């Protein structure tokens, strides 16, 4: 597993406003969108391309175009939806799949309740979107879901990560595939409720409001 923590003053600034409990949902959503666009630039650094001949207004030249099959972006419902526009802004031709996953707050086990993905992901570059890499259980479950369908190139894009979650993903993935985790920051750790500290709270609630 490869870990990439983005280092940029704009990322630090936007992340600070996201952390602030006084930031309203509308601003929070906008900043997540902007922040993910910056993270997407880092996450797609090794996206597959092929040479293509084109004509400029001056002369012929050789450029680069995204290779087939197209990348697939997989937001984890529901919080991952808030990251989708920021990611597809840089990858507008990517396909989009969905994974619905819910963590039991008592057992911390992950249940998959919905999916919209191709049965065969062989040869596809996959990008999983989930704001928080806390215990790592959801990201491990999502990654395994893709690997079981033949994916071998998976990039996990998260806003924040805890050392516990990073270790869990690294341990679970092993050498089975080329997996990269891209984060805006690595925080101190988890509290007794498995929330990231200092974190930014429940990303889903702050994006969309609390659902009872």
């Amino acid at each position: 597993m490869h870990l990439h923590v983005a280092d940029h003053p704009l990322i630090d600034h936007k992340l600070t406003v996201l952390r602030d409990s006084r930031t309203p949902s509308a601003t929070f959503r906008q900043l997540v969108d902007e922040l993910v666009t910056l993270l997407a630039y880092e996450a797609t650094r090794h996206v597959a391309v092929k040479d293509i001949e084109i004509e400029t207004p001056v002369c012929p030249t050789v450029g680069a175009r995204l290779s087939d099959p197209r990348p697939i972006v997989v937001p984890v419902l529901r919080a991952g939806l808030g990251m989708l526009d920021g990611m597809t802004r840089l990858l507008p031709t990517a396909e989009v799949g969905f994974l619905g996953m819910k963590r039991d707050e008592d057992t911390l086990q992950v249940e998959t309740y919905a999916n919209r993905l191709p049965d065969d992901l062989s040869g596809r570059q996959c990008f999983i979107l989930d704001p928080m890499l806390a215990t790592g259980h959801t990201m491990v479950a999502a990654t395994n879901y893709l690997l079981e369908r033949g994916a071998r190139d998976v990039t996990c894009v998260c806003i924040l990560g805890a050392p516990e979650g990073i270790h869990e993903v690294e341990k679970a993935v092993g050498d089975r595939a080329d997996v990269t985790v891209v984060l805006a920051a690595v925080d101190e750790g988890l509290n007794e409720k498995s929330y990231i500290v200092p974190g930014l709270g429940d990303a889903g609630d702050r994006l969309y409001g609390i659902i009872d």
Side-chain angles (χ1 to χ4, degrees), residues 85-155:
D85 286 348
M87 190 72 192
T88 55
R89 185 170 293 114
L90 286 193
L91 277 178
T93 60
E95 292 185 8
V96 177
F98 298 93
L99 272 178
M101 292 186 161
K102 182 178 181 180
R103 185 181 73 172
D104 187 294
E105 297 301 329
D106 295 322
T107 66
L108 302 183
Q109 295 303 305
V110 178
E111 173 190 356
T112 301
Y113 62 85
N115 88 84
R116 186 73 173 177
L117 290 170
D119 291 332
D120 186 3
L121 293 171
S122 301
R124 304 289 293 270
Q125 288 184 293
C126 304
F127 296 87
I128 302 175
L129 308 181
D130 198 13
M132 313 297 281
L133 179 56
T135 64
H137 296 159
T138 299
M139 190 58 73
V140 167
T143 301
N144 282 335
Y145 210 90
L146 302 187
L147 297 185
E148 290 166 2
R149 282 154 180 76
R152 290 297 177 267
D153 186 339
V154 178
T155 299

